[in-house]
């Protein structure tokens, strides 16, 4: 009877609010009509506060990876050297995109679950003085780490002339991003995470410094030519066919987020993070990241042999119709990850923790039954 009541707690795609679903059911309109132009220009402007920028935000039809590639191909090219900060699977994706275009990617690798620190980046830039761009990931979804972007931006500004380009796909709209104030040159995100939409839109903003580089480069791409998007946005349109229904949904997302307010959004996500982490500690399930760098959008857990993460996920899926994420690359089958972003509230977190406790009991794992829920409730009550 309740099989359609899926409890989706992965770090993207995230649940879609009913009012956003309804907005996407708006009758189709012409994508070159005056009605669409007004809608499109309005939502593009309303995205700026989430980026922390006075610069224009460009919207393209594509996944977050399309905008990652856009950030690469518009700023650097074959033979150039770049630094890629790798603290998990998605930092490595930036490196792979660069190498596809014959760009020399120098990787600053840290163990998965640890952040990139400013002193590490400073030493790395001293070893690679010719890099033209530094690529970083704000929230590394594969480990639940939140890298200190403001600190890293300060180092890039002080120690090089490189552009600083940030993948904020799995956290923008849920955690602070002050692109202008921090000195970040390009920020990229997608629609299916904190923006509570289906996959299919990507957003990108560039600083004046970045535009000075872009304007002096011959475009390497057709669809991903950022100058084409700038020209079209000035005319309140897109260079290629937009995802009209998703733009209607984005308008409603902007309404919802503005109603809640940025500071309240950030506090809600921090609360859900703190509830999840307190619960897991109470159950004796090791966290992959230190509290200081734990992401507000996803929490990664490493059972370290205490139980089978995949069996836990299977029980949650088959018995409770709840989906939590598994590990990626070398962590596949070893860890599990709980997404808590977007259309998610503290009571949803308590539901997840309760189901995990029941699944672990069914598996015969010795846990202090009920303690996880209790700790999460205490964090919630103290916050309220």
């Amino acid at each position: 009877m309740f099989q359609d009541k899926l409890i989706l707690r992965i770090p993207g795609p995230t649940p879609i609010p009913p009012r956003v679903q309804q907005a996407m059911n708006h009758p189709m309109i012409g994508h070159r009509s005056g009605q669409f132009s007004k809608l499109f220009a309005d939502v593009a402007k309303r995205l700026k506060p989430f980026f922390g920028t006075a610069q224009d935000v460009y919207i393209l039809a594509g996944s977050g990876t399309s905008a990652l590639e856009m950030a690469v191909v518009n700023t650097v090219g074959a033979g150039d050297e770049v630094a890629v900060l790798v603290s998990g699977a998605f930092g490595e994706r930036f490196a792979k995109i660069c190498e596809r275009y014959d760009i020399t990617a120098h990787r600053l690798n840290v163990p998965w679950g640890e952040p990139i620190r400013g002193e590490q980046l400073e030493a790395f830039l001293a070893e690679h003085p010719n890099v033209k761009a530094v690529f970083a990931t704000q929230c590394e979804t594969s480990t639940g780490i939140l890298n200190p972007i403001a600190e890293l931006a300060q180092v890039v500004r002080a120690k090089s002339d490189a552009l600083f380009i940030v993948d904020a796909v799995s956290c923008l709209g849920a955690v602070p991003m002050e692109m202008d104030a921090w000195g970040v040159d390009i920020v990229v995100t997608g629609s299916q995470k904190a923006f509570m939409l289906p996959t299919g839109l990507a957003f990108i903003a560039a600083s004046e410094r970045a535009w000075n580089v872009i304007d002096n480069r011959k475009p390497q791409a057709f669809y991903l030519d950022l100058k084409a998007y700038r020209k079209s946005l000035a005319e309140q349109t897109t260079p290629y066919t937009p995802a009209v229904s998703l733009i209607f949904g984005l308008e409603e997302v902007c309404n919802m987020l503005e109603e809640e307010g940025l500071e309240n959004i950030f506090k809600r996500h921090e609360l859900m993070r703190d509830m999840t982490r307190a619960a897991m500690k109470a159950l004796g399930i090791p966290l992959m990241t230190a509290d200081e760098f734990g992401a507000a959008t996803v929490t990664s857990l490493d059972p370290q042999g205490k139980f089978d993460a995949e069996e836990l996920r299977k029980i949650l899926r088959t018995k409770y119709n709840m989906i939590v994420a598994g590990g990626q690359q070398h962590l596949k089958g070893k860890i599990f990850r709980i997404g808590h972003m977007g259309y998610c509230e503290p009571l949803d977190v308590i539901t997840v923790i309760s189901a995990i406790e029941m699944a672990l009991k069914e598996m015969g794992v010795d846990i202090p039954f009920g303690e996880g829920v209790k700790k999460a409730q205490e964090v919630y009550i103290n916050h309220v």
Side-chain angles (χ1 to χ4, degrees):
M1 178 176 176
F2 297 105
Q3 288 307 301
D4 60 341
K5 193 177 180 181
L6 179 69
I7 304 172
L8 187 65
R9 290 293 166 252
I10 61 176
T14 61
I16 301 170
R19 58 190 277 193
V20 174
Q21 290 180 325
Q22 185 175 358
M24 290 188 294
N25 287 332
H26 189 287
M28 186 56 60
I29 62 174
H31 66 288
R32 301 302 182 206
S33 65
Q35 182 182 359
F36 180 76
S37 290
K38 184 178 183 300
L39 169 69
F40 185 75
D42 178 62
V43 295
K45 183 178 180 180
R46 293 167 75 182
L47 289 172
K48 292 183 180 184
F50 302 105
F51 284 74
T53 187
Q55 300 296 322
D56 286 330
V57 177
Y58 304 96
I59 304 171
L60 63 151
S63 70
T65 302
S66 68
L68 298 182
E69 188 165 348
M70 176 180 268
V72 171
V73 299
N74 284 275
T75 57
V76 288
D80 288 340
E81 295 182 42
V82 301
V84 183
L85 314 187
V86 181
S87 55
F90 290 92
E92 180 63 24
R93 179 170 296 185
F94 248 147
K96 289 179 178 178
I97 293 171
C98 289
E99 289 170 344
R100 180 63 61 90
Y101 289 92
D102 295 322
I103 298 161
T104 300
H106 301 293
R107 291 168 172 81
L108 169 54
N109 288 290
V110 299
W112 286 30
E114 294 184 11
I116 308 281
R117 298 311 308 262
E119 58 269 22
Q120 294 171 306
L121 177 55
E122 183 174 346
F124 194 73
L125 290 176
E127 295 174 7
H128 303 285
N130 298 319
V131 299
K132 293 188 175 181
V134 176
F135 295 91
T137 307
Q138 186 173 19
C139 174
E140 179 49 73
T141 324
S142 60
T143 63
I145 201 81
L146 193 73
N147 281 305
I149 295 300
E151 175 187 334
L152 298 176
Q154 186 175 19
V155 171
V156 174
R157 284 285 162 274
K159 300 300 178 180
S160 79
D161 295 321
L163 297 178
F164 188 42
I165 299 172
V166 175
D167 166 3
V169 170
S170 62
C171 61
L172 195 83
V175 304
M177 165 55 73
E178 296 294 340
M179 177 178 158
D180 294 351
W182 295 348
V184 180
D185 291 299
I186 293 180
V187 174
V188 170
T189 195
S191 56
Q192 76 278 15
K193 306 278 187 173
F195 284 97
M196 306 182 291
L197 285 163
T199 306
L201 294 179
F203 314 124
I204 183 169
S207 69
E208 290 295 334
R209 289 182 76 252
W211 277 115
N212 287 337
V213 172
I214 295 166
D215 282 333
N216 287 289
R217 292 185 57 82
K218 181 181 178 180
Q220 297 183 79
F222 182 79
Y223 186 74
L224 300 178
D225 179 3
L226 192 51
K227 284 186 279 191
Y229 287 81
R230 179 178 60 181
K231 181 177 183 295
S232 292
L233 183 59
E235 299 167 354
Q236 298 189 334
T237 188
T238 57
Y240 313 108
T241 306
V244 176
S245 295
L246 291 177
I247 300 298
F248 276 116
L250 179 59
E251 179 186 40
E252 192 59 33
V253 165
C254 289
N255 292 339
M256 291 182 66
L257 297 179
E258 288 166 4
E259 287 166 13
E260 185 175 5
L262 266 180
E263 290 304 316
N264 290 329
I265 293 168
F266 299 157
K267 289 177 182 177
R268 171 167 56 86
H269 283 85
E270 290 166 0
L271 172 59
M272 293 189 294
R273 173 200 62 198
D274 294 346
M275 290 170 64
T276 304
R277 295 180 71 87
M280 295 301 107
K281 288 177 184 178
L283 295 176
I285 303 174
L287 295 152
M288 279 198 68
T289 63
D291 288 345
E292 182 183 0
F293 298 103
T297 52
V298 56
T299 298
S300 293
L301 293 310
D302 183 358
Q304 297 180 2
K306 294 182 178 181
F307 58 86
D308 186 330
E310 288 303 295
E311 184 181 355
L312 171 67
R313 293 181 62 227
K314 181 179 179 181
I315 293 173
L316 291 175
R317 182 175 66 252
T318 57
K319 188 166 185 176
Y320 301 106
N321 213 26
M322 177 181 292
I323 309 295
V324 299
Q328 295 175 304
Q329 296 185 19
H330 67 280
L331 295 178
K332 188 173 183 179
K334 297 179 180 179
I335 70 167
F336 67 101
R337 297 174 295 146
I338 303 169
H340 36 77
M341 77 175 97
Y343 193 56
C344 186
E345 60 173 329
L347 290 179
D348 294 323
V349 172
I350 290 174
T351 300
V352 174
I353 294 163
S354 177
I356 288 173
E357 288 189 350
M358 291 187 289
L360 290 174
K361 271 294 183 183
E362 183 174 329
M363 292 166 62
V365 181
D366 184 19
I367 58 167
F369 195 58
E371 282 299 310
V373 170
K374 178 183 176 183
K375 287 296 181 183
Q377 290 172 325
E378 289 173 354
V379 172
Y380 185 33
I381 290 296
N382 290 333
H383 173 84
V384 173

